[in-house]
């Protein structure tokens, strides 16, 4: 069956889109989700029932709040070494004092990639792990519909105030009783973006009409993006944040005497920053952020300072929900940070851990078919049973050491169960659907190979490609491949532990995809067989009609494939220009070698080419003899001049074509030195900085003028007189605009370099005059 090139391209495009869609469905796995949110949260589960039929626990409601007020200070791009390292001791003395000797608990929170602001806010408030698909919607953050801490607090009647990054306002619309959002796109703003948050503090801290205050500071993140983590601007910004924390903490302490419950100050970062100041990856500086809980309810720290414990960033949502007396978000995979509630009674601590374990086990039930075999679920059921035994002893009034030891044992069992459950749920979120990704990759690669095989015929005069459709569909190989692929599909889908998107399709759809893969493979094999069969046939004119690929074609294909493969590593993406430099230089050298062979070696070494040329010239001579045209002597001289000029043009074209690759190499080298780019070389001096400096404005003006004149000379040959005048005025306007804004100068203007020399000369003369005056004054 023959297809036009356009029809073949359209069909391949549709198949490529289908393959990419299947691949992306496996690359972006579905997040762990509970049942849809609807209505008031209601009460949580009751305490585990004691064994026997007589005793029943009377605690079924959600525990009351532990803190009257909570202030959450989120400092964007706050790395853990900015607080716990040397910079923290130098620039954040108050926070360091509270960590070492105050009533606080300090942790290192680990954020999962992608370390971008919007997914991190979702993780902090929902306790879930957003995927890489959330990076796509980071610039246009829609409202968060999943169950989250802000919605739970608003439903419970809590009054929430927010100041800072306007991403919160987009994620939680109509949730704040008062807010003031700041934009995060002006990365050169280090001061105003934080002052717009701090200016509300004095007024808000004096008020009593709020329960949760959230502050999101962006200045440190902007400094990191522009100047890096080792910039001298980082220290003053950390000192500013330390003064803000001091003001908030002192204000909260001053109000606690009037209230029955203490307040809580939480300090954290949404993500860190790399050594270059960026974020989004998984380096240690990007994923490790400090997490501080400061409250008078905690015991004052005593003894030597220990290394902060590592927790997950998603643990904050569960911990704050318990602290505010709210239900834990249904989609949360975080666990309760036990030291925050360590001051409560054993029964309260076990109640908190049971609520967290019940929520995680329910989430596991709704997302895993074989949840009963999960180790975390089994551990939770064992801990729940032990908890029931403890409740029985507690209700009987047993206050012996046995009750305390059993409580510690149940506490340990709960912690192990929570850790295993959280790991199982987090693994489902971060686990790629490899089977769907492989199916999509196979379809994409088969279509790509088919396109490469069809390029020579698609570019021919007929622009047709013969698709071996009928032989493929009725060949034995096609049916064998279908059977093998269907068998592989059955084995993978029946043995897969987790859900697979391709396995969830209907068997008819899966069979259609398997038949498509088999048909494409058979078509590729048929096309390759025809190419090999044609290559064995004798060629009538080996010089003119050669169907084999040249070295340049192979190089371009290998370079394209190599460049695509290099994009699989982040280091190659950051230095992608280095790959292009290598490929362009190699291609120019290969073109030069090809041109030299065509212009010099081919005429001397190819006898067929010489015979064909000789036959052509003999045929021309015979034709002139048969016509017996009398050519006068003057005509002969003119013909000789025309022939000599043609030979001259032919020779000049040859040398121009030979010089073109070397000219391209020189231009590429100049462009390479024009602007240093990449992560490793951006700080190096380059020709662009040299030209744009004030001392070399005359050189930049000369190059700009020459470039505009060359543009005019190259374009004006095909233009009318009116077009030439309009183009000249336009180019003159371009130069005048650049001169008006100070980028270039006109010849009659003084260069800044000359002005600086004159100023230095004036300063030198004035200094000499002042020195003469000062030395001559005593004699007067």
């Amino acid at each position: 069956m023959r297809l036009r090139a356009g029809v073949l391209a359209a069909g391949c495009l549709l198949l490529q889109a289908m393959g990419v869609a299947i691949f992306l469905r496996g690359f972006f796995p579905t997040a762990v989700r509970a049942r849809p949110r609807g209505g008031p949260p209601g009460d949580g589960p009751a305490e585990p029932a004691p064994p026997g039929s007589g005793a029943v626990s009377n605690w079924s409601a959600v525990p009351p709040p532990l803190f009257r007020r909570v202030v959450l200070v989120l400092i964007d791009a706050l790395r853990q070494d900015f607080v716990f390292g040397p910079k923290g001791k130098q620039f954040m003395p108050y926070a360091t004092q509270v960590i070492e000797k105050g009533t606080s608990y300090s942790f290192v929170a680990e954020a999962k990639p992608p370390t971008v602001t919007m997914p991190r806010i979702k993780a902090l408030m929902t306790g879930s792990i957003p995927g890489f698909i959330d990076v796509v919607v980071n610039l246009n953050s829609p409202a968060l519909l999943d169950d989250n801490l802000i919605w739970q607090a608003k439903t419970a009647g809590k009054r929430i105030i927010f100041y800072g990054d306007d991403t919160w306002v987009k994620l939680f619309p109509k949730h704040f009783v008062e807010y003031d959002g700041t934009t995060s796109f002006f990365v050169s703003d280090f001061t105003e973006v934080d002052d717009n948050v701090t200016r509300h503090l004095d007024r808000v801290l004096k008020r009593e009409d709020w329960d949760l205050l959230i502050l999101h500071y962006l200045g440190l993140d902007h400094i990191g993006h522009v100047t890096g983590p080792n910039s001298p601007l980082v220290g003053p910004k950390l000192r500013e944040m330390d003064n803000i924390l001091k003001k908030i903490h002192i204000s909260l302490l001053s109000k606690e005497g009037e209230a029955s419950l203490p307040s809580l100050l939480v300090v954290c970062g949404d993500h860190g920053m790399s050594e270059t100041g960026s974020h989004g990856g998984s380096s240690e500086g990007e994923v490790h952020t400090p997490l501080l809980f400061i409250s008078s309810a905690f015991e004052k720290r005593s003894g030597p300072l220990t290394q902060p414990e590592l927790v997950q960033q998603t643990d904050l949502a569960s911990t704050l929900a318990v602290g505010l007396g709210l239900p834990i978000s249904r989609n949360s995979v975080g666990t309760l940070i036990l030291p925050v509630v360590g001051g409560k009674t054993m029964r309260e601590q076990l109640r908190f851990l049971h609520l967290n374990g019940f929520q995680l086990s329910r989430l596991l039930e709704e997302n895993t078919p074989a949840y009963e075999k999960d180790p975390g679920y089994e551990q939770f059921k064992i801990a729940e049973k032990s908890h029931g035994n403890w409740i029985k002893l507690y209700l009987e009034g047993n206050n012996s050491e046995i009750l305390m030891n059993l409580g510690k044992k149940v506490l340990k069992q709960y912690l192990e169960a929570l850790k295993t459950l959280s790991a199982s749920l987090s693994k489902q979120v971060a686990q790629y659907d490899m089977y769907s990704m492989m199916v999509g990759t196979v379809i994409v690669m088969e279509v790509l190979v088919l396109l490469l095989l069809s390029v020579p015929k698609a570019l021919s005069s007929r622009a047709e490609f013969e698709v071996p459709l009928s032989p493929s569909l009725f060949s034995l190989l096609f049916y064998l491949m279908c059977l093998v692929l269907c068998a592989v599909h059955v084995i993978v889908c029946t043995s897969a532990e987790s859900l697979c998107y391709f396995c969830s399709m209907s068997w008819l759809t899966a069979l259609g995809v398997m038949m498509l893969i088999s048909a494409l493979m058979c078509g590729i094999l048929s096309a390759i067989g025809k190419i090999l069969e044609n290559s064995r046939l004798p060629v009538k004119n080996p010089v003119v009609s050669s169907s084999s690929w040249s070295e340049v074609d192979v190089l371009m294909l290998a370079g394209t494939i190599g460049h695509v493969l290099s994009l699989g590593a982040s280091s190659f993406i950051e230095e992608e220009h280095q790959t292009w430099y290598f490929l362009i230089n190699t291609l120019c050298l290969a073109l030069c070698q090809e041109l030299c062979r065509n212009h010099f070696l081919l005429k001397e070494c190819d006898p067929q080419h010489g015979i064909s040329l000789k036959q052509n010239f003999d045929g021309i001579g015979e034709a002139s003899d048969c016509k017996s045209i009398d050519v006068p002597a003057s005509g002969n001289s003119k013909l000789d001049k025309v022939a000599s000029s043609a030979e001259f043009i032919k020779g000049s074209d040859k040398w121009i074509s030979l010089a073109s690759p070397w000219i391209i190499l020189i231009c590429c080298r100049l462009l390479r030195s024009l602007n240093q780019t990449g992560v490793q070389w951006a700080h190096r001096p380059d020709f662009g900085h040299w030209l744009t400096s004030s001392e070399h404005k005359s050189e930049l003006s000369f190059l700009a003028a020459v470039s505009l004149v060359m543009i005019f000379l190259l374009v004006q040959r095909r233009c009318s007189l009116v077009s030439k005048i309009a183009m000249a005025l336009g180019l003159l306007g371009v130069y005048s605009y650049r001169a008006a804004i100070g980028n270039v100068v006109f010849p009659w203007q003084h260069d800044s370099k000359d002005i600086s020399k004159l100023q230095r000369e004036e300063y030198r003369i004035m200094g000499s005059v002042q020195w003469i005056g000062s030395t001559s004054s005593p004699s007067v």
Side-chain angles (χ1 to χ4, degrees):
M1 185 177 72
R2 292 185 176 273
L3 291 178
R4 298 288 298 176
V7 177
L8 177 65
C12 291
L13 183 61
L14 293 176
L15 294 179
Q16 285 273 22
M18 185 184 71
V20 171
I22 296 176
F23 175 85
L24 292 179
R25 184 58 178 78
F27 185 75
F28 297 121
T30 55
V32 176
R33 290 288 184 268
R35 60 181 181 274
R37 186 184 70 192
D43 293 337
E47 281 185 317
S53 58
V56 178
S57 174
N58 56 359
W59 194 358
S60 60
V62 176
L66 307 179
F67 305 100
R68 185 177 68 95
R69 283 181 166 186
V70 175
V71 179
L72 176 61
V73 180
L74 193 152
I75 304 175
D76 210 295
L78 183 65
R79 296 189 355 170
Q80 60 96 9
D81 58 333
F82 286 173
V83 177
F84 303 130
K87 289 184 179 179
K89 295 181 180 179
Q90 181 180 359
F91 300 110
M92 303 186 74
Y94 186 79
T96 303
Q97 180 183 359
V98 172
I99 292 171
E100 294 179 353
K101 301 178 181 179
T103 56
S104 66
Y105 290 107
S106 56
F107 304 92
V108 175
E110 182 180 8
K112 300 296 183 183
T115 49
V116 188
T117 296
M118 192 271 290
R120 294 303 96 216
I121 296 176
K122 286 185 177 181
L124 288 169
M125 294 295 103
T126 64
S128 60
I129 302 178
F132 283 90
I133 192 63
D134 290 278
V135 180
V136 180
V137 295
N138 188 31
L139 299 179
N140 185 21
S141 307
L144 183 60
L145 301 179
D146 296 337
D147 191 10
N148 58 83
L149 181 71
I150 303 297
W151 181 83
Q152 293 282 4
K154 183 177 182 295
T155 306
K158 303 288 184 182
R159 293 157 296 182
I160 312 170
I161 296 178
F162 169 76
Y163 303 115
D165 188 357
D166 57 359
T167 305
W168 291 76
V169 182
K170 298 175 183 177
L171 287 174
F172 310 105
K174 301 180 181 179
H175 285 69
F176 307 117
V177 296
E178 183 179 327
Y179 63 89
D180 185 11
T182 58
T183 181
S184 59
F185 288 101
F186 298 103
V187 294
S188 59
D189 179 14
F190 305 152
T191 306
E192 294 295 331
V193 71
D194 288 343
D195 290 344
N196 288 333
V197 179
T198 309
R199 63 191 177 97
H200 301 282
L201 276 182
D202 293 332
R203 175 177 54 85
V204 171
L205 292 176
K206 295 177 182 178
R207 292 160 47 183
E208 297 289 338
D209 58 345
W210 56 270
D211 303 294
L212 177 60
L213 174 63
I214 303 174
L215 308 173
H216 189 155
Y217 287 93
L218 291 167
L220 184 63
D221 179 67
H222 291 182
I223 292 174
H225 280 296
V226 176
T227 61
N230 300 318
S231 168
L233 300 175
V234 172
K237 179 57 67 174
L238 292 177
R239 187 177 291 110
E240 177 187 349
M241 296 294 104
D242 188 64
N243 294 331
I244 292 171
L245 297 179
K246 181 179 179 180
K247 177 189 293 187
I248 296 173
H249 189 210
I250 293 176
S251 176
L252 293 178
L253 291 177
S254 63
K255 296 294 184 75
E256 285 187 357
E258 308 170 1
S260 57
L261 292 176
S263 300
L264 175 65
L265 172 60
V266 182
V267 183
C268 64
D270 56 345
H271 53 76
M273 67 174 70
S274 64
E275 293 301 322
T276 58
S278 61
H279 57 86
S282 58
S283 64
E284 184 177 357
E286 295 173 86
V287 300
H288 286 169
T289 61
L291 179 59
L292 305 179
F293 294 92
I294 305 172
S295 176
S296 60
F298 306 147
E299 294 182 0
K300 194 170 185 180
R301 185 180 296 275
S302 61
L305 184 65
T306 59
Q307 188 71 17
E309 181 184 352
L310 182 66
V311 298
Q312 297 299 316
Q313 194 180 58
T314 52
D315 298 342
L316 180 63
S318 303
T319 306
L320 287 182
V322 171
L324 290 170
L326 303 173
I328 299 175
S329 302
R330 298 185 180 97
N331 298 322
S332 174
V333 298
T335 61
L336 177 65
I337 302 176
L338 189 61
V340 178
V341 298
K344 297 300 177 179
T345 63
M346 180 61 68
R347 187 183 185 187
E348 289 177 318
Q349 295 183 46
L350 293 177
R351 173 63 172 161
F352 297 147
L353 293 175
H354 177 256
L355 288 173
N356 195 184
F358 182 84
Q359 175 263 326
L360 291 176
S361 63
R362 178 65 62 86
L363 187 63
L364 186 70
E365 291 178 15
E366 297 177 359
N367 290 273
T368 305
Y371 65 91
E372 295 179 352
K373 298 180 181 179
D374 188 84
Y377 188 85
E378 295 176 352
Q379 292 175 3
F380 174 70
K381 289 301 179 181
I382 294 174
E384 196 174 35
K385 185 176 180 181
S386 301
H387 190 187
N389 294 329
W390 187 91
I391 292 292
K392 180 179 180 181
L393 293 177
Y394 179 81
L395 295 178
E396 291 175 354
N398 191 336
N399 296 324
S400 62
E401 189 176 353
I402 299 177
L403 183 66
M404 182 60 63
N405 293 334
L406 181 60
K408 292 180 179 179
K409 178 183 176 181
V410 177
L411 203 69
K412 185 177 180 180
Q413 290 177 344
Y414 268 134
L415 290 176
E416 292 177 356
L418 292 179
K419 184 177 180 181
T420 309
L421 283 171
S422 178
S424 299
L425 292 169
S426 301
K427 183 181 179 181
Q428 290 188 21
V429 177
Q431 187 177 10
Y432 298 113
D433 186 359
M434 297 302 299
Y435 184 47
S436 300
M437 292 173 62
M438 291 177 62
V439 172
T441 303
V442 169
I443 295 176
V444 170
M445 295 304 297
E446 285 183 340
V447 174
L448 179 61
V449 173
L450 190 62
L451 282 174
L452 291 176
L453 294 175
S454 63
V455 164
K457 292 187 178 181
L459 295 179
S460 63
S461 59
R462 299 183 65 181
E464 289 183 349
F465 180 70
E466 184 176 355
V467 181
L469 187 60
S470 298
S472 299
L473 289 178
F474 296 100
S475 64
L476 178 62
L477 178 62
F478 172 76
Y479 293 109
L480 288 177
M481 289 189 64
C482 284
L483 290 176
V484 172
L485 291 177
C486 290
V488 172
H489 181 73
V490 172
I491 294 173
V492 171
C493 294
T494 54
S495 61
E497 297 180 357
S498 59
L499 290 176
C500 174
Y501 170 72
F502 196 67
C503 293
S504 62
M505 292 182 176
S506 62
W507 284 101
L508 186 61
T509 305
L511 179 62
V513 175
M514 298 302 170
M515 293 178 62
L516 173 63
I517 295 176
S518 303
L520 288 174
M521 181 59 66
C522 292
I524 290 172
L525 295 177
S526 300
I528 293 175
K530 286 190 175 183
I531 291 175
L532 295 177
E533 183 180 353
N534 294 332
S535 63
R536 296 175 183 175
L537 298 176
V539 183
K540 297 180 180 179
N541 192 352
V543 176
V544 179
S545 61
S546 178
S547 61
S548 61
W549 285 25
S550 65
E551 292 86 348
V552 177
D553 298 332
V554 175
L555 178 63
M556 293 180 66
L557 178 61
T560 304
I561 296 175
H563 177 253
V564 172
L565 294 177
S566 69
L567 298 180
S570 60
S571 58
F572 279 103
I573 294 176
E574 294 170 352
E575 305 291 340
E576 183 184 1
H577 53 282
Q578 300 289 349
T579 306
W580 283 113
Y581 293 156
F582 173 78
L583 292 177
I584 291 175
N585 294 340
T586 308
L587 180 61
C588 288
L589 293 176
L591 285 174
C592 184
Q593 185 262 351
E594 184 81 10
L595 291 173
C596 290
R597 183 172 59 185
N598 292 337
H599 285 292
F600 295 105
L601 299 180
L602 188 62
K603 293 183 180 180
E604 299 177 0
C605 301
D606 195 350
Q608 297 291 337
H609 184 70
I611 293 173
S612 62
L613 290 178
K614 186 176 184 303
Q615 291 176 353
N616 291 334
F617 281 117
D618 292 342
I620 294 173
E622 292 175 358
S624 62
D625 291 340
C626 292
K627 291 184 179 180
S628 66
I629 300 174
D630 296 331
V631 181
S634 60
N636 290 332
S637 62
K638 292 182 179 180
L639 289 175
D640 293 338
K641 291 181 180 180
V642 172
S644 61
S645 61
E647 292 178 357
F648 175 76
I649 294 173
K650 184 177 180 180
S652 63
D653 290 341
K654 178 181 70 175
W655 291 110
I656 290 174
S657 62
L658 289 175
S660 297
W662 300 100
I663 295 175
I664 294 174
L665 282 174
I666 295 172
C667 293
C668 289
R669 187 62 187 89
L670 293 176
L671 291 176
R672 182 175 178 178
S673 61
L674 182 62
N675 280 306
Q676 295 285 358
T677 183
V679 177
Q680 299 179 0
W681 311 101
H683 64 282
R684 299 290 297 275
D686 50 40
F687 188 57
H689 289 85
W690 184 84
L691 279 177
T692 54
S693 62
S694 58
E695 298 180 354
H696 304 95
K697 191 173 291 186
S698 58
E699 290 84 352
L700 179 62
S701 303
F702 175 74
L703 289 177
V706 170
S707 301
L708 294 176
V709 171
M710 290 297 296
I711 292 174
F712 178 78
L713 294 178
L714 291 174
V715 180
Q716 57 87 25
R717 290 180 296 179
R718 298 182 180 181
C719 298
S720 63
L721 179 61
V722 177
S723 300
K724 292 179 182 179
I725 296 175
M727 183 174 61
L729 293 177
L731 295 176
L732 182 61
V734 171
Y735 191 90
S736 301
Y737 169 73
R738 289 298 175 183
I741 62 178
N743 291 338
V744 297
V745 293
F746 286 105
W748 56 85
Q749 292 178 332
H750 290 288
D751 192 5
S752 59
K753 179 171 62 176
D754 300 333
I755 295 175
S756 61
K757 288 182 179 179
L758 291 174
Q759 290 177 347
R760 286 197 296 268
E761 189 67 22
E762 291 177 0
Y763 292 153
R764 187 182 64 81
I765 295 173
M766 292 176 62
S768 301
V769 171
Q770 292 178 358
W771 180 79
I772 294 173
S774 62
T775 53
S776 60
S777 58
S779 61
V780 177

